[in-house]
Amino acid sequence: MNSILRNIIRPQHIGAFLCLWFFAGHLQAGEYAVASASPLATQAGIDVLESGGNAFDAAIAVTSVLAVVEPYSSGIGGGGFYLLHQQAANRQVMLDARERAPLAAHRDMYLDASGKADKDLSLNGATAAGIPGIPAALEHLQRNYGRLSLQKTMADAIGYAQNGFEIDDYYRSVAKWRLEVMQRYPSTSAVLLVNGEVPAERAVIRQTDLAKTLQSIVSNGKAGFYEGDVAQKLVTSVRANGGIWSLEDLQQYELIEREPARFRYGDADIIAASLPSSGGIVLNSIFNMLDQLDHDQAEPVEAIHQLVEAMRRAFRDRAEFMGDIDHVEVPVARLSSAAHAQQLLKNYSSAKATASADLRGVAATEGGNDTTHFSIVDADGNLVAATLSVNYPFGSGLIADGTGVLLNDEMDDFSASPGVPNVWGLLGTEANAIAPGKRMLSSMTPAFVHTPERSLVTGTPGGSWIITMNLLGILEFLNGGNAEAIVSRRRFHHQYDPDVIRYEANTFPASTVEALMEKGHQFKVYPWRTGNMHSIIIDKKTGKLDAASDPRGEGQAIIAGD
Ligand code: DON
C-alpha cells in the first residue's frame, strides 16, 4: 500500500485513537510527583502540592526556586515554554514565555564592520539579552491556572534568595567556565562569585536584590517586573552596559498561549512544544520518517542508521524553514505531513549514509548543560512539563544593577549571519533572522506522551540535543522503559551540520560503530554532560506514578500521596 495511505488508515490507529481520547481524559493519578534539576525546587513543588496547590501552583514554586538556586540554567531574567494539561477540561496548552528581541534590534546587530559575526556581542553582557518572559509566566500561571497566591508559591524562592543556598560542584564547574564574563560585571561578581573568583565548595550564595525583585512580582504581579522601579533599573543597567532595551520593550512583553504540536506515532499521542520552539515539528517529522521506515521492526544497527538519517533530514528543515510564526510564514502543516516525510526519504538508503552535503543546501541568507526542565503530576491528573532557560551557563553573565536579575543571552539563538551557527552549532535562515519584537527559534521541547496504558511527562535541557534526547527518551518509553531507563538512556545526536554522529561514551558496542562506519557515518565522542532529563510516568490502570531525575545531574524526583 502506498505509504501515505498506509500511514493514515492503519487499522490499529483507529482503535488506538478512540482509546487515547478516552484515556487522555481519564488520567487519575491520586499520587503526585515532581522531578526537577534541584532537590530544593522539587521539595518546594511537593510542599505546594501538599498544602492545597495544584500542578500549576507547584510549577510557580519550582520555577521560582530554580531561578534562585540554579542561576546558571534559568531565572526571571530568562524565558521558556510550559506545556500544561488541565485534567478536568482535558485541555492542553503551551505557555510561550520565550524572550523577544528588543524593539531596537536589527538583523545585522551582531556583525562587525567587516560583516563578521561578533560572538561576544550575542553571548555576553547586555547586548546578548532578549526581553525576559518568566515573570509574565509566573503571573499567568497564578491568575489563570493556580489556586494559591504568589505569596505562598514563591515564598521558598524568596527565602533562598534572602538567606542563601549552598552551591554544589556543578555550580563551581560552570562558574569556572563563565568566570571571565562574570568578572566583567561587579554587579554579578559581588553576588555569584566570592572575591571575584569561583566560590569554594559548599559556599553560600545570597541574592538580596533578587529577593526584593521576586517580592515585587509577588506584590504587583507582572507589573512588578515589567513596570516601575524594577523596569527602570533593568533598562538603566542594560543601557549603561551597551544594550538597547527600552521601557517600552518591557511594557510590551506578553506571554502567548499557543496550541502545542500534536501528532501520533503507532498508538501513541505525542504533544510537544510548538513554534517558536522547533522541537515539536522536528520530532513530528522524525517520527513520520520512522513510521515509514518501519522503525519498530529494524535490527539494532539499522535502527540507529534510520534514527540518524531522520535526524539529519529534520534538522535540515529546521535550519531552512523555522522561526517565529508571528513574524514569518512557516509551512508547519507541510513539514509535519507524512507526504513530506516520504519526500525527505526519497534519497534514503539502508546501505549507505546520506552525506549532509548531498541534501539540498540551506539557503544562506541568514543568518554544557544549562537551561532546566521539570515535570509535575498532581493528584487530580493535571500535568506540567516546562523547559526554561537563560541559554548559555549564567546567561549573559550580567546581573542588572540593583535588581538581582541575571540576564539571558538568548539573542544568540537567532541566526546572526549567513552560515554562522549559533553557540549550539545550529544554522538558520531568514526565517530566524533578528527582527524587532521577534522571538528567537528554540529547541526546548517539553512533551507529553499518551499510550492506552501509560502517560509520560518529560523534557531536558541540552541545546540542539534537546530534541534528539527527547526522541530517544520517548522511544525508550514506547518500548516499555520505566522512568529511570528513560532519563538514563545513553544518547547520540546528529543535526545535519556538522555531518557527524556525536555520542556519549559507552553508547554503542564497538561492532555497532564499525558497522555504521562502513555505511559512511562518522562518529565523535561527546565529552560533556548531555542533558538533564526529568520524567514522570503515570500507569493509567493503577494511577501509580514512576518518576526519575537524570543521573547525570544533581536533581531529584519525589513521588508522594495516596
Ligand atoms: O532555546 C534553546 O534552544 C536554547 N537556548 C537552549 C539552551 C540549552 O538547552 C542550554 N543547555 N544546554
PDB file of all heavy atoms in Angstrom, residues 427-458:
ATOM      1  N   LEU A 427      22.410  26.044  12.372  1.00  0.00           N
ATOM      2  CA  LEU A 427      22.292  27.025  11.306  1.00  0.00           C
ATOM      3  C   LEU A 427      20.855  27.534  11.243  1.00  0.00           C
ATOM      4  O   LEU A 427      19.943  26.909  11.748  1.00  0.00           O
ATOM      5  CB  LEU A 427      22.639  26.373   9.969  1.00  0.00           C
ATOM      6  CG  LEU A 427      24.091  25.944   9.808  1.00  0.00           C
ATOM      7  CD1 LEU A 427      24.232  25.055   8.580  1.00  0.00           C
ATOM      8  CD2 LEU A 427      25.002  27.156   9.698  1.00  0.00           C
ATOM      9  N   GLY A 428      20.685  28.666  10.567  1.00  0.00           N
ATOM     10  CA  GLY A 428      19.333  29.166  10.354  1.00  0.00           C
ATOM     11  C   GLY A 428      19.299  29.966   9.074  1.00  0.00           C
ATOM     12  O   GLY A 428      20.312  30.094   8.388  1.00  0.00           O
ATOM     13  N   THR A 429      18.123  30.478   8.762  1.00  0.00           N
ATOM     14  CA  THR A 429      17.981  31.282   7.554  1.00  0.00           C
ATOM     15  C   THR A 429      17.200  32.532   7.909  1.00  0.00           C
ATOM     16  O   THR A 429      16.997  32.847   9.071  1.00  0.00           O
ATOM     17  CB  THR A 429      17.192  30.527   6.472  1.00  0.00           C
ATOM     18  OG1 THR A 429      15.903  30.271   6.993  1.00  0.00           O
ATOM     19  CG2 THR A 429      17.859  29.246   6.049  1.00  0.00           C
ATOM     20  N   GLU A 430      16.710  33.183   6.860  1.00  0.00           N
ATOM     21  CA  GLU A 430      15.878  34.369   7.024  1.00  0.00           C
ATOM     22  C   GLU A 430      14.754  34.130   8.054  1.00  0.00           C
ATOM     23  O   GLU A 430      14.384  35.031   8.807  1.00  0.00           O
ATOM     24  CB  GLU A 430      15.261  34.687   5.649  1.00  0.00           C
ATOM     25  CG  GLU A 430      14.627  36.042   5.540  1.00  0.00           C
ATOM     26  CD  GLU A 430      15.603  37.173   5.806  1.00  0.00           C
ATOM     27  OE1 GLU A 430      16.789  37.039   5.423  1.00  0.00           O
ATOM     28  OE2 GLU A 430      15.184  38.164   6.402  1.00  0.00           O
ATOM     29  N   ALA A 431      14.215  32.911   8.052  1.00  0.00           N
ATOM     30  CA  ALA A 431      13.097  32.616   8.966  1.00  0.00           C
ATOM     31  C   ALA A 431      13.469  32.917  10.412  1.00  0.00           C
ATOM     32  O   ALA A 431      12.624  33.276  11.221  1.00  0.00           O
ATOM     33  CB  ALA A 431      12.674  31.152   8.825  1.00  0.00           C
ATOM     34  N   ASN A 432      14.741  32.766  10.746  1.00  0.00           N
ATOM     35  CA  ASN A 432      15.171  33.004  12.131  1.00  0.00           C
ATOM     36  C   ASN A 432      16.138  34.188  12.217  1.00  0.00           C
ATOM     37  O   ASN A 432      16.974  34.264  13.121  1.00  0.00           O
ATOM     38  CB  ASN A 432      15.787  31.730  12.719  1.00  0.00           C
ATOM     39  CG  ASN A 432      16.025  31.827  14.222  1.00  0.00           C
ATOM     40  OD1 ASN A 432      15.275  32.508  14.940  1.00  0.00           O
ATOM     41  ND2 ASN A 432      17.075  31.179  14.701  1.00  0.00           N
ATOM     42  N   ALA A 433      16.038  35.122  11.273  1.00  0.00           N
ATOM     43  CA  ALA A 433      16.863  36.344  11.339  1.00  0.00           C
ATOM     44  C   ALA A 433      16.310  37.267  12.424  1.00  0.00           C
ATOM     45  O   ALA A 433      15.132  37.194  12.772  1.00  0.00           O
ATOM     46  CB  ALA A 433      16.840  37.051   9.992  1.00  0.00           C
ATOM     47  N   ILE A 434      17.159  38.130  12.938  1.00  0.00           N
ATOM     48  CA  ILE A 434      16.735  39.044  14.018  1.00  0.00           C
ATOM     49  C   ILE A 434      15.775  40.097  13.471  1.00  0.00           C
ATOM     50  O   ILE A 434      16.000  40.653  12.393  1.00  0.00           O
ATOM     51  CB  ILE A 434      17.962  39.762  14.626  1.00  0.00           C
ATOM     52  CG1 ILE A 434      18.996  38.742  15.106  1.00  0.00           C
ATOM     53  CG2 ILE A 434      17.540  40.693  15.769  1.00  0.00           C
ATOM     54  CD1 ILE A 434      20.342  39.345  15.474  1.00  0.00           C
ATOM     55  N   ALA A 435      14.711  40.372  14.219  1.00  0.00           N
ATOM     56  CA  ALA A 435      13.809  41.483  13.890  1.00  0.00           C
ATOM     57  C   ALA A 435      13.216  42.007  15.198  1.00  0.00           C
ATOM     58  O   ALA A 435      13.111  41.254  16.173  1.00  0.00           O
ATOM     59  CB  ALA A 435      12.692  41.018  12.953  1.00  0.00           C
ATOM     60  N   PRO A 436      12.834  43.279  15.233  1.00  0.00           N
ATOM     61  CA  PRO A 436      12.306  43.855  16.469  1.00  0.00           C
ATOM     62  C   PRO A 436      11.104  43.062  16.985  1.00  0.00           C
ATOM     63  O   PRO A 436      10.186  42.752  16.219  1.00  0.00           O
ATOM     64  CB  PRO A 436      11.857  45.266  16.046  1.00  0.00           C
ATOM     65  CG  PRO A 436      12.636  45.554  14.811  1.00  0.00           C
ATOM     66  CD  PRO A 436      12.883  44.248  14.131  1.00  0.00           C
ATOM     67  N   GLY A 437      11.122  42.746  18.266  1.00  0.00           N
ATOM     68  CA  GLY A 437       9.985  42.075  18.896  1.00  0.00           C
ATOM     69  C   GLY A 437       9.825  40.609  18.551  1.00  0.00           C
ATOM     70  O   GLY A 437       8.898  39.954  19.021  1.00  0.00           O
ATOM     71  N   LYS A 438      10.724  40.080  17.739  1.00  0.00           N
ATOM     72  CA  LYS A 438      10.595  38.682  17.299  1.00  0.00           C
ATOM     73  C   LYS A 438      11.147  37.731  18.367  1.00  0.00           C
ATOM     74  O   LYS A 438      12.071  38.079  19.098  1.00  0.00           O
ATOM     75  CB  LYS A 438      11.399  38.533  15.999  1.00  0.00           C
ATOM     76  CG  LYS A 438      11.221  37.218  15.264  1.00  0.00           C
ATOM     77  CD  LYS A 438      11.929  37.310  13.911  1.00  0.00           C
ATOM     78  CE  LYS A 438      11.953  35.977  13.187  1.00  0.00           C
ATOM     79  NZ  LYS A 438      12.740  36.071  11.940  1.00  0.00           N
ATOM     80  N   ARG A 439      10.560  36.530  18.448  1.00  0.00           N
ATOM     81  CA  ARG A 439      11.074  35.504  19.350  1.00  0.00           C
ATOM     82  C   ARG A 439      12.069  34.638  18.583  1.00  0.00           C
ATOM     83  O   ARG A 439      11.817  34.241  17.446  1.00  0.00           O
ATOM     84  CB  ARG A 439       9.918  34.661  19.884  1.00  0.00           C
ATOM     85  CG  ARG A 439       9.110  35.375  20.986  1.00  0.00           C
ATOM     86  CD  ARG A 439       7.728  34.815  21.063  1.00  0.00           C
ATOM     87  NE  ARG A 439       7.150  34.772  22.398  1.00  0.00           N
ATOM     88  CZ  ARG A 439       6.432  35.749  22.950  1.00  0.00           C
ATOM     89  NH1 ARG A 439       6.244  36.892  22.304  1.00  0.00           N
ATOM     90  NH2 ARG A 439       5.911  35.602  24.153  1.00  0.00           N
ATOM     91  N   MET A 440      13.189  34.344  19.242  1.00  0.00           N
ATOM     92  CA  MET A 440      14.231  33.529  18.608  1.00  0.00           C
ATOM     93  C   MET A 440      13.833  32.048  18.625  1.00  0.00           C
ATOM     94  O   MET A 440      13.195  31.591  19.570  1.00  0.00           O
ATOM     95  CB  MET A 440      15.595  33.752  19.295  1.00  0.00           C
ATOM     96  CG  MET A 440      15.655  33.542  20.788  1.00  0.00           C
ATOM     97  SD  MET A 440      14.665  34.690  21.805  1.00  0.00           S
ATOM     98  CE  MET A 440      15.657  36.144  21.869  1.00  0.00           C
ATOM     99  N   LEU A 441      14.206  31.345  17.560  1.00  0.00           N
ATOM    100  CA  LEU A 441      13.850  29.927  17.456  1.00  0.00           C
ATOM    101  C   LEU A 441      14.523  29.145  18.590  1.00  0.00           C
ATOM    102  O   LEU A 441      15.676  29.406  18.927  1.00  0.00           O
ATOM    103  CB  LEU A 441      14.322  29.386  16.102  1.00  0.00           C
ATOM    104  CG  LEU A 441      13.879  27.979  15.727  1.00  0.00           C
ATOM    105  CD1 LEU A 441      12.363  27.877  15.633  1.00  0.00           C
ATOM    106  CD2 LEU A 441      14.511  27.552  14.400  1.00  0.00           C
ATOM    107  N   SER A 442      13.791  28.194  19.120  1.00  0.00           N
ATOM    108  CA  SER A 442      14.300  27.401  20.251  1.00  0.00           C
ATOM    109  C   SER A 442      14.271  25.921  19.915  1.00  0.00           C
ATOM    110  O   SER A 442      13.593  25.486  18.980  1.00  0.00           O
ATOM    111  CB  SER A 442      13.412  27.663  21.464  1.00  0.00           C
ATOM    112  OG  SER A 442      13.777  26.834  22.545  1.00  0.00           O
ATOM    113  N   SER A 443      15.009  25.149  20.709  1.00  0.00           N
ATOM    114  CA  SER A 443      14.916  23.686  20.621  1.00  0.00           C
ATOM    115  C   SER A 443      14.222  23.097  21.843  1.00  0.00           C
ATOM    116  O   SER A 443      14.061  21.876  21.933  1.00  0.00           O
ATOM    117  CB  SER A 443      16.317  23.069  20.532  1.00  0.00           C
ATOM    118  OG  SER A 443      16.997  23.549  19.403  1.00  0.00           O
ATOM    119  N   MET A 444      13.830  23.929  22.784  1.00  0.00           N
ATOM    120  CA  MET A 444      13.272  23.405  24.038  1.00  0.00           C
ATOM    121  C   MET A 444      11.959  22.669  23.769  1.00  0.00           C
ATOM    122  O   MET A 444      11.074  23.211  23.104  1.00  0.00           O
ATOM    123  CB  MET A 444      13.067  24.534  25.038  1.00  0.00           C
ATOM    124  CG  MET A 444      14.401  25.107  25.525  1.00  0.00           C
ATOM    125  SD  MET A 444      14.224  26.274  26.867  1.00  0.00           S
ATOM    126  CE  MET A 444      13.772  27.759  25.977  1.00  0.00           C
ATOM    127  N   THR A 445      11.847  21.439  24.269  1.00  0.00           N
ATOM    128  CA  THR A 445      10.755  20.557  23.861  1.00  0.00           C
ATOM    129  C   THR A 445      10.107  19.830  25.030  1.00  0.00           C
ATOM    130  O   THR A 445      10.163  18.596  25.116  1.00  0.00           O
ATOM    131  CB  THR A 445      11.279  19.506  22.852  1.00  0.00           C
ATOM    132  OG1 THR A 445      12.164  20.131  21.930  1.00  0.00           O
ATOM    133  CG2 THR A 445      10.149  18.844  22.085  1.00  0.00           C
ATOM    134  N   PRO A 446       9.470  20.564  25.950  1.00  0.00           N
ATOM    135  CA  PRO A 446       8.698  19.829  26.950  1.00  0.00           C
ATOM    136  C   PRO A 446       7.631  18.998  26.238  1.00  0.00           C
ATOM    137  O   PRO A 446       7.084  19.454  25.230  1.00  0.00           O
ATOM    138  CB  PRO A 446       8.074  20.948  27.800  1.00  0.00           C
ATOM    139  CG  PRO A 446       8.095  22.177  26.936  1.00  0.00           C
ATOM    140  CD  PRO A 446       9.295  22.014  26.044  1.00  0.00           C
ATOM    141  N   ALA A 447       7.364  17.789  26.744  1.00  0.00           N
ATOM    142  CA  ALA A 447       6.467  16.892  25.993  1.00  0.00           C
ATOM    143  C   ALA A 447       5.621  16.011  26.912  1.00  0.00           C
ATOM    144  O   ALA A 447       6.031  15.681  28.030  1.00  0.00           O
ATOM    145  CB  ALA A 447       7.299  16.008  25.066  1.00  0.00           C
ATOM    146  N   PHE A 448       4.430  15.649  26.402  1.00  0.00           N
ATOM    147  CA  PHE A 448       3.583  14.612  27.000  1.00  0.00           C
ATOM    148  C   PHE A 448       3.434  13.506  25.949  1.00  0.00           C
ATOM    149  O   PHE A 448       3.281  13.810  24.756  1.00  0.00           O
ATOM    150  CB  PHE A 448       2.157  15.110  27.274  1.00  0.00           C
ATOM    151  CG  PHE A 448       2.033  16.317  28.165  1.00  0.00           C
ATOM    152  CD1 PHE A 448       1.052  17.277  27.912  1.00  0.00           C
ATOM    153  CD2 PHE A 448       2.866  16.497  29.263  1.00  0.00           C
ATOM    154  CE1 PHE A 448       0.908  18.389  28.734  1.00  0.00           C
ATOM    155  CE2 PHE A 448       2.727  17.603  30.093  1.00  0.00           C
ATOM    156  CZ  PHE A 448       1.740  18.558  29.826  1.00  0.00           C
ATOM    157  N   VAL A 449       3.450  12.270  26.410  1.00  0.00           N
ATOM    158  CA  VAL A 449       3.158  11.148  25.507  1.00  0.00           C
ATOM    159  C   VAL A 449       2.099  10.282  26.177  1.00  0.00           C
ATOM    160  O   VAL A 449       2.265   9.900  27.345  1.00  0.00           O
ATOM    161  CB  VAL A 449       4.425  10.300  25.231  1.00  0.00           C
ATOM    162  CG1 VAL A 449       4.111   9.210  24.219  1.00  0.00           C
ATOM    163  CG2 VAL A 449       5.579  11.171  24.747  1.00  0.00           C
ATOM    164  N   HIS A 450       1.030   9.999  25.455  1.00  0.00           N
ATOM    165  CA  HIS A 450      -0.023   9.134  25.995  1.00  0.00           C
ATOM    166  C   HIS A 450      -0.142   7.888  25.136  1.00  0.00           C
ATOM    167  O   HIS A 450      -0.288   7.986  23.913  1.00  0.00           O
ATOM    168  CB  HIS A 450      -1.376   9.848  25.962  1.00  0.00           C
ATOM    169  CG  HIS A 450      -1.393  11.150  26.697  1.00  0.00           C
ATOM    170  ND1 HIS A 450      -1.312  11.243  28.066  1.00  0.00           N
ATOM    171  CD2 HIS A 450      -1.466  12.432  26.244  1.00  0.00           C
ATOM    172  CE1 HIS A 450      -1.350  12.514  28.425  1.00  0.00           C
ATOM    173  NE2 HIS A 450      -1.430  13.259  27.344  1.00  0.00           N
ATOM    174  N   THR A 451      -0.067   6.736  25.766  1.00  0.00           N
ATOM    175  CA  THR A 451      -0.443   5.499  25.086  1.00  0.00           C
ATOM    176  C   THR A 451      -1.693   4.989  25.809  1.00  0.00           C
ATOM    177  O   THR A 451      -2.070   5.538  26.852  1.00  0.00           O
ATOM    178  CB  THR A 451       0.681   4.432  25.179  1.00  0.00           C
ATOM    179  OG1 THR A 451       0.794   4.013  26.545  1.00  0.00           O
ATOM    180  CG2 THR A 451       2.008   4.972  24.691  1.00  0.00           C
ATOM    181  N   PRO A 452      -2.317   3.940  25.315  1.00  0.00           N
ATOM    182  CA  PRO A 452      -3.500   3.461  26.025  1.00  0.00           C
ATOM    183  C   PRO A 452      -3.183   3.050  27.471  1.00  0.00           C
ATOM    184  O   PRO A 452      -4.030   3.124  28.342  1.00  0.00           O
ATOM    185  CB  PRO A 452      -3.949   2.265  25.188  1.00  0.00           C
ATOM    186  CG  PRO A 452      -3.474   2.600  23.806  1.00  0.00           C
ATOM    187  CD  PRO A 452      -2.154   3.291  24.004  1.00  0.00           C
ATOM    188  N   GLU A 453      -1.946   2.627  27.731  1.00  0.00           N
ATOM    189  CA  GLU A 453      -1.619   2.134  29.078  1.00  0.00           C
ATOM    190  C   GLU A 453      -0.996   3.170  29.994  1.00  0.00           C
ATOM    191  O   GLU A 453      -1.174   3.141  31.210  1.00  0.00           O
ATOM    192  CB  GLU A 453      -0.619   0.959  28.999  1.00  0.00           C
ATOM    193  CG  GLU A 453      -1.105  -0.255  28.264  1.00  0.00           C
ATOM    194  CD  GLU A 453      -0.965  -0.117  26.750  1.00  0.00           C
ATOM    195  OE1 GLU A 453      -0.067   0.636  26.311  1.00  0.00           O
ATOM    196  OE2 GLU A 453      -1.760  -0.721  26.012  1.00  0.00           O
ATOM    197  N   ARG A 454      -0.155   4.062  29.405  1.00  0.00           N
ATOM    198  CA  ARG A 454       0.652   4.933  30.275  1.00  0.00           C
ATOM    199  C   ARG A 454       0.733   6.341  29.691  1.00  0.00           C
ATOM    200  O   ARG A 454       0.540   6.552  28.490  1.00  0.00           O
ATOM    201  CB  ARG A 454       2.087   4.392  30.376  1.00  0.00           C
ATOM    202  CG  ARG A 454       2.184   2.959  30.855  1.00  0.00           C
ATOM    203  CD  ARG A 454       3.598   2.592  31.264  1.00  0.00           C
ATOM    204  NE  ARG A 454       4.574   2.670  30.174  1.00  0.00           N
ATOM    205  CZ  ARG A 454       5.894   2.637  30.332  1.00  0.00           C
ATOM    206  NH1 ARG A 454       6.412   2.510  31.546  1.00  0.00           N
ATOM    207  NH2 ARG A 454       6.712   2.704  29.306  1.00  0.00           N
ATOM    208  N   SER A 455       1.078   7.305  30.570  1.00  0.00           N
ATOM    209  CA  SER A 455       1.369   8.663  30.109  1.00  0.00           C
ATOM    210  C   SER A 455       2.752   9.056  30.599  1.00  0.00           C
ATOM    211  O   SER A 455       3.176   8.645  31.683  1.00  0.00           O
ATOM    212  CB  SER A 455       0.362   9.662  30.666  1.00  0.00           C
ATOM    213  OG  SER A 455      -0.878   9.484  30.018  1.00  0.00           O
ATOM    214  N   LEU A 456       3.435   9.869  29.808  1.00  0.00           N
ATOM    215  CA  LEU A 456       4.778  10.333  30.149  1.00  0.00           C
ATOM    216  C   LEU A 456       4.795  11.859  30.138  1.00  0.00           C
ATOM    217  O   LEU A 456       4.258  12.490  29.219  1.00  0.00           O
ATOM    218  CB  LEU A 456       5.774   9.812  29.098  1.00  0.00           C
ATOM    219  CG  LEU A 456       7.195  10.373  29.146  1.00  0.00           C
ATOM    220  CD1 LEU A 456       7.940   9.904  30.401  1.00  0.00           C
ATOM    221  CD2 LEU A 456       7.976   9.959  27.890  1.00  0.00           C
ATOM    222  N   VAL A 457       5.419  12.444  31.158  1.00  0.00           N
ATOM    223  CA  VAL A 457       5.661  13.890  31.209  1.00  0.00           C
ATOM    224  C   VAL A 457       7.175  14.041  31.213  1.00  0.00           C
ATOM    225  O   VAL A 457       7.836  13.504  32.111  1.00  0.00           O
ATOM    226  CB  VAL A 457       5.073  14.496  32.508  1.00  0.00           C
ATOM    227  CG1 VAL A 457       5.247  16.006  32.539  1.00  0.00           C
ATOM    228  CG2 VAL A 457       3.611  14.118  32.654  1.00  0.00           C
ATOM    229  N   THR A 458       7.738  14.735  30.232  1.00  0.00           N
ATOM    230  CA  THR A 458       9.197  14.672  30.119  1.00  0.00           C
ATOM    231  C   THR A 458       9.811  15.900  29.463  1.00  0.00           C
ATOM    232  O   THR A 458       9.094  16.728  28.884  1.00  0.00           O
ATOM    233  CB  THR A 458       9.603  13.390  29.347  1.00  0.00           C
ATOM    234  OG1 THR A 458      11.009  13.155  29.535  1.00  0.00           O
ATOM    235  CG2 THR A 458       9.313  13.506  27.855  1.00  0.00           C
TER     236      THR A 458
END
